[in-house]
Amino acid sequence: MTKNISEAIFLTDNINYGKHMKNNIFFKSLVTIGIFLINITFSTIVYSDNSNANNANTSVSALNNNLSQLLADAGFTGKIESTLTTKLGRPINTKLANIGQSLFFDSILSLANDNSCSGCHSPLTGFGDTQSISIGVENNGIVGAGRKGPRNQRRSLKVLNSAFYPSLMWNSRFTSISHNPFDVSEGVRVPFFLGGTTVWKPNAPSIYGTSFDNQITTSLLAVHGSLPPTELIEVAGFAVDDPANLDDRLYSPTHLTSSGLTSDTVPTAIAGPNGSDIDSTDRSYAIRAKILDRMNSNANYVGLFSSIFPSASNGNITFAQIAAAIAEFEFTLTFADAPIDQFARGNVNALTTSQKRGAVLFFGKANCVACHSTAGESQEMFSDFQTHAVGIPQIAPASFGLKSGGDPQNPNDFQGDYEFSGPNKDEDYGREELTGDPVDRYAFRTAPLRNISVQPTFFHNGAFTNLSDALKYHLNTLSAAAKYDPATAGLASDLTVRTGPIEPVLKRLDSRIVAMGNLNLSSQEFNDLYNFLNGGLLDNGALPNNLTSLIPKTLPSGRKVLNFQ
């Protein structure tokens, strides 16, 4: 470069100043000095550029090394997705998964005849909720922002990667006793009203094939698959045969639903194998038995199941088989190959520089990994699967119960079907409602963070509809709580009417959340952390354009698929 510049100066000298100037020794000396200085200057510039590049390379290398060490310290390998079949101890059964896929979208498992798993676990949102607080039965047949109907209690979690979860639900009410979701040899902890731990363990007594089957109930998901159809607010409905055993604010006779079918009745409780007397806690056995009658009278499903389980021939499908099929489909919903995984496996360019800095904050200074952990039973899911009180604003539906003489299909007449806790019935006590222990009040299971960017709402009650806003609140809970407004946060209008008290929630605030309020992150640090969560944890396979391809066009039952928007 400097040689060419020198030649250009000599050329200019010859052209512009003519022959008579060339004999001027003084002038030649000036030109020579000028050339020398220019050469020095440009050499310095080139050296400076190289130095800056070297410094930049050193900085990137240091960042990569720092993050790699933090990941190693956190027990993160980026290989969890590839371990699925090893943990299962077998390959995925594609035929069984296909049956489970049909059942996931089929209202045949709903005595209310208007909902399916997919109503609250939409492929549009990572097989998670489209709502801040779920809408189960008495819905309008839509899955998406336009879904209407009575609200439940909380937001439904994403199904993606749930094969690796040692506990399920916001209050961890379904937990593998071994702490390993692929090992239920010690049984599964389940609430008594759904069967209890005396039923959901190997060799437990069963009733009409509705409970544990040692041969096929081999994972936490295979146990869980038997349970949602028994939930009144989710899929069973309130047209019970024994209204005296139901809150009279919920009961309604059978009626035409959004599916075009008339809701079925929910049968009276029958004695279950858990040794209890006949009471409402055993209604789940009766519900499963009635659903089995439906399934076994459907030739298409009997044919499909009997091709895998010969014992299902001639109308002998069991609920353990149904649950195993749903679980098998859910195993296929494993999407854990995000940029952070690729980085951990050696692709240092998988993350952007901002995402790398955000990851360093996550695993380092901000210490998010203290709760959103990756080691041991966390199985790189970014959750410790423990419950914590993290100070989330309390949201409640506008009202509870069906208005007297109202239409259960009219959301204005039926705004909420779960009665909240607290003096004003506007609080969610979290895990306490399961354990009865006030120590657990306002505590909820740490949400796994993989593919969080596909969610439309955040925290257990969807109190925020924007990841950036949710993160800002989480980092500054004590100062932000008093300013929270559900309307400003973007919640649906029916969830902006009632909010519960925040003061008692903040009194139980986890010390690690308090500590985060002292971080005082800069704008760049916040943006880096956001970019890591938003993009660094996203497996592109979890995006809607991929998952919506899993929506069946037809179902073996002949029923309609819900309308996904």
Side-chain angles (χ1 to χ4, degrees):
M1 181 190 299
T2 54
K3 180 181 178 183
N4 292 336
I5 292 172
S6 300
E7 290 174 346
I9 291 172
F10 277 123
L11 180 61
T12 303
D13 172 48
N14 288 332
I15 293 172
N16 293 337
Y17 292 93
K19 185 182 291 184
H20 67 282
M21 294 295 291
K22 283 185 168 186
N23 295 323
N24 188 321
I25 296 174
F26 176 72
F27 177 77
K28 283 190 173 183
S29 298
L30 288 176
V31 170
T32 301
I33 293 170
I35 292 167
F36 175 76
L37 291 174
I38 290 172
N39 279 323
I40 292 293
T41 301
F42 275 83
S43 296
T44 303
I45 291 171
V46 171
Y47 175 80
S48 177
D49 286 345
N50 289 335
S51 177
N52 288 338
N54 289 335
N55 288 339
N57 290 335
T58 301
S59 177
V60 170
S61 179
L63 180 60
N64 290 340
N65 291 338
N66 189 13
L67 178 54
S68 295
Q69 186 59 56
L70 287 168
L71 294 179
D73 293 343
F76 188 85
T77 68
K79 300 176 181 178
I80 191 66
E81 180 176 283
S82 66
T83 69
L84 176 62
T85 54
T86 300
K87 292 177 183 294
L88 277 174
R90 58 175 177 80
I92 289 177
N93 186 322
T94 303
K95 285 179 63 177
L96 186 60
N98 288 341
I99 299 173
Q101 180 181 358
S102 293
L103 288 169
F104 196 93
F105 288 89
D106 201 334
S107 67
I108 194 171
L109 301 181
S110 165
L111 293 185
N113 285 331
D114 67 351
N115 204 22
S116 67
C117 305
S118 64
C120 298
H121 298 281
S122 168
L124 298 167
T125 52
F127 281 92
D129 217 327
T130 61
Q131 305 293 309
S132 289
I133 295 181
S134 293
I135 296 171
V137 296
E138 307 296 358
N139 64 78
N140 60 352
I142 292 173
V143 183
R147 190 169 174 84
K148 302 292 183 184
R151 300 280 181 182
N152 299 171
Q153 185 185 20
R154 299 170 186 141
R155 173 177 70 84
S156 294
L157 287 154
K158 296 195 303 294
V159 176
L160 299 188
N161 299 316
S162 58
F164 295 94
Y165 297 178
S167 69
L168 303 172
M169 314 301 283
W170 284 109
N171 56 9
S172 292
R173 69 178 181 266
F174 307 131
T175 305
S176 175
I177 294 173
S178 72
H179 297 270
N180 180 352
F182 301 97
D183 176 14
V184 292
S185 61
E186 299 176 47
V188 172
R189 187 172 292 109
V190 170
F192 176 80
F193 71 92
L194 290 173
T197 54
T198 58
V199 171
W200 299 104
K201 66 179 182 180
N203 300 310
S206 186
I207 182 169
Y208 306 137
T210 67
S211 301
F212 209 104
D213 182 323
N214 293 0
Q215 300 302 311
I216 58 177
T217 311
T218 57
S219 67
L220 180 57
L221 285 182
V223 170
H224 176 259
S226 292
L227 305 174
T230 67
E231 296 275 8
L232 301 190
I233 64 176
E234 293 180 17
V235 287
F238 306 108
V240 299
D241 284 335
D242 54 341
N245 285 323
L246 181 74
D247 189 318
D248 58 11
R249 293 171 292 178
L250 293 173
Y251 173 76
S252 63
T254 58
H255 55 274
L256 188 67
T257 69
S258 59
S259 67
L261 300 173
T262 298
S263 58
D264 202 350
T265 59
V266 178
T268 302
I270 57 177
N274 57 9
S276 66
D277 295 330
I278 298 176
D279 59 31
S280 60
T281 61
D282 288 312
R283 194 190 294 276
S284 57
Y285 302 111
I287 291 173
R288 281 194 288 267
K290 189 164 186 175
I291 292 172
L292 284 176
D293 289 341
R294 285 183 173 189
M295 291 291 297
N296 285 309
S297 63
N298 184 283
N300 289 333
Y301 273 120
V302 171
L304 290 168
F305 273 101
S306 60
S307 70
I308 299 172
F309 305 110
S311 61
S313 301
N314 302 315
N316 290 301
I317 299 170
T318 68
F319 229 101
Q321 293 167 354
I322 291 171
I326 294 172
E328 202 75 6
F329 171 59
E330 291 172 336
F331 292 150
T332 71
L333 300 179
T334 297
F335 294 93
D337 187 22
I340 187 64
D341 300 285
Q342 296 163 27
F343 178 92
R345 297 198 304 268
N347 180 3
V348 296
N349 297 317
L351 292 164
T352 67
T353 300
S354 176
Q355 289 168 347
K356 290 175 187 177
R357 292 194 301 258
V360 168
L361 280 169
F362 184 96
F363 287 95
K365 173 182 172 180
N367 199 28
C368 308
V369 73
C371 294
H372 295 282
S373 56
T374 56
E377 68 183 68
S378 295
Q379 304 213 59
E380 305 190 15
M381 291 293 115
F382 294 87
S383 172
D384 59 3
F385 294 98
Q386 303 300 309
T387 56
H388 306 277
V390 295
I392 307 307
Q394 303 217 68
I395 306 297
S399 65
F400 166 72
L402 177 62
K403 288 181 180 178
S404 179
D407 177 3
Q409 287 283 290
N410 184 344
N412 293 321
D413 291 347
F414 199 4
Q415 296 176 317
D417 55 18
Y418 188 94
E419 187 166 36
F420 279 53
S421 300
N424 297 315
K425 304 300 182 184
D426 54 10
E427 299 186 65
D428 186 342
Y429 282 174
R431 187 165 170 78
E432 181 191 353
E433 295 177 3
L434 178 68
T435 65
D437 188 345
V439 171
D440 293 328
R441 185 169 297 183
Y442 309 129
F444 299 89
R445 192 198 70 175
T446 303
L449 295 181
R450 284 188 177 274
N451 303 307
I452 190 173
S453 60
V454 303
Q455 294 175 203
T457 64
F458 305 90
F459 301 122
H460 69 274
N461 57 6
F464 292 89
T465 60
N466 179 286
L467 177 57
S468 178
D469 291 344
L471 181 58
K472 287 175 184 175
Y473 183 91
H474 206 43
L475 290 169
N476 298 281
T477 301
L478 281 173
S479 62
K483 306 169 189 173
Y484 176 78
D485 175 57
T488 303
L491 272 65
S493 59
D494 64 306
L495 294 177
T496 64
V497 179
R498 293 201 305 152
T499 56
I502 192 62
E503 294 80 9
V505 179
L506 297 179
K507 285 181 180 178
R508 286 175 160 83
L509 193 62
D510 190 289
S511 60
R512 283 164 288 196
I513 302 299
V514 176
M516 287 208 300
N518 299 321
L519 286 173
N520 296 316
L521 298 183
S522 67
S523 295
Q524 178 180 294
E525 287 177 318
F526 175 85
N527 290 334
D528 290 341
L529 186 56
Y530 170 83
N531 289 335
F532 170 63
L533 295 174
N534 189 55
L537 297 180
L538 174 65
D539 183 327
N540 286 336
L543 293 172
N545 59 354
N546 179 53
L547 297 184
T548 50
S549 66
L550 298 176
I551 301 172
K553 291 182 171 56
T554 60
L555 297 169
S557 67
R559 294 177 176 228
K560 293 193 305 183
V561 177
L562 291 167
N563 180 11
F564 293 90
Q565 296 182 349

